[in-house]
Amino acid sequence: MKCRRCKDKGISSKAIIFLPHHNLSLCKNCFGEWYEYRLRQTIKKTRMFTPGEKILVAVSGGKDSLALWYALKKLGYKVDAVHIDLGIKEKDYSLISREKAENLGKRIKSHLHIVSIKEHLGEGIPELHWLSGRSPCSVCGLVKRYFINLIAKKGSYSCVATGHNLDDEVATLFSNLLSWDVDLMIRQAPVLPEKKGFARRVKPLVRFTEKEDLLYCLIHEIDYIREECPLARGTSSLLYKRLFNEVEQTSPGSKLRFYFNFQTNLRPLLPNKSTARLKSCPSCGQPTTSDNLCAFCRLKERVRSVEAQKKQKQLD
Ligand code: SF4
Ligand code: ZN
């Protein structure tokens, strides 16, 4: 198979990928250019941020967020990153993830903030899951949101960019549809504007599939963690991704249509009933809808009380 872009320029080169949903075959060089052009267009069209703004990319050490960090830096955006060390010991998951993020930061000379959950809370995500009674992903999301927002505020970043790709967004939308969770559906957008105390959140990779992010990493020799998070095992999002890959195979473009037609045709019609007003947490000052402590501070209190009970038992 030949690269179609090169062919249009009268050059013959071998394609490394065929994108059925765009009916496009591309060589290594043209794929890199196509990816970066499409990324810049998405940022511009959806008004995510301008070239002069200071962006904070949340990097997990996985292929998507590292591809995003690398590409934004290459395109000349003012970008730093933050990595949250989740304290997941199984398969050295957090250790390896952190190393991948640190290595890329050094390579592209971009500043990386590191936050260790264990240093702040005394425990990693698996333990916090048991202590809080929340699912691992729910407690992980809570803690990540808290620290990423804190770093964004302290560093005066205009917005937080995350590596959510089309497959992630399609799986989440499908899950929200299965339960007709209108509140969550309203909040599912490529750009979530700044709210009192919450930085603007953007998802510049919403037009790319996992496979496209992976290929971008491969052609730029970006080293990322290959392992899935051990706590993701059995989560329904993995099942939905598999299902949509099958749909995409028989009907290319389904994922893009499902997500973007929702954004243009349905989301604007949904009633935004959210009347919850944001207040400042009396303990940490971060925004919360609660009249009392924010969810993060409540989690901290819970950890403290369990630790105190343990110590007391040892003394008895
Ligand atoms: Fe956190 Fe769940 Fe993602 Fe693992 S799979 S990093 S626990 S949100
Ligand atoms: Zn708080």
Side-chain angles (χ1 to χ4, degrees), residues 247-308:
V247 175
E248 185 73 19
Q249 273 207 333
T250 45
S251 175
S254 294
K255 289 181 196 171
L256 280 168
R257 282 194 299 276
F258 180 64
Y259 181 72
F260 286 100
N261 287 355
F262 162 72
Q263 293 298 335
T264 46
N265 298 344
L266 185 61
R267 192 171 167 268
L269 305 178
L270 297 177
N272 195 346
K273 289 198 217 121
S274 168
T275 49
R277 286 197 32 223
L278 288 173
K279 297 143 221 162
S280 291
C281 168
S283 173
C284 70
Q286 286 251 59
T288 176
T289 51
S290 158
D291 287 327
N292 212 315
L293 293 178
C294 70
F296 178 83
C297 287
R298 288 202 303 271
L299 175 69
K300 231 162 111 178
E301 290 282 297
R302 171 104 188 108
V303 176
R304 263 194 220 132
S305 86
V306 172
E307 294 299 330

Side-chain angles (χ1 to χ4, degrees), residues 86 88 93 125 136-138 140-141 144 228-233 235:
L86 302 172
I88 301 173
Y93 180 76
I125 294 298
C137 295
S138 155
C140 182
K144 282 195 288 198
E228 278 279 352
C229 169
L231 307 179
R233 254 182 250 127
T235 54

Side-chain angles (χ1 to χ4, degrees), residues 167-227:
D167 296 84
D168 298 325
E169 291 303 292
V170 163
T172 306
L173 178 57
F174 187 61
S175 162
N176 293 339
L177 267 174
L178 283 180
S179 49
W180 290 108
D181 194 327
V182 175
D183 288 342
L184 287 181
M185 281 156 74
I186 289 170
R187 277 187 268 149
Q188 206 187 344
V191 182
L192 285 179
E194 184 180 351
K195 256 201 275 172
K196 195 180 157 212
F198 278 117
R200 188 188 332 146
R201 293 181 80 91
V202 298
K203 298 170 183 170
L205 299 183
V206 279
R207 286 184 184 273
F208 297 106
T209 61
E210 271 184 15
K211 199 177 154 193
E212 289 157 3
D213 293 341
L214 169 69
L215 189 59
Y216 188 79
C217 283
L218 293 178
I219 66 174
H220 290 96
E221 294 173 3
I222 299 166
D223 192 18
Y224 59 90
I225 182 155
R226 263 77 173 166
E227 289 282 340

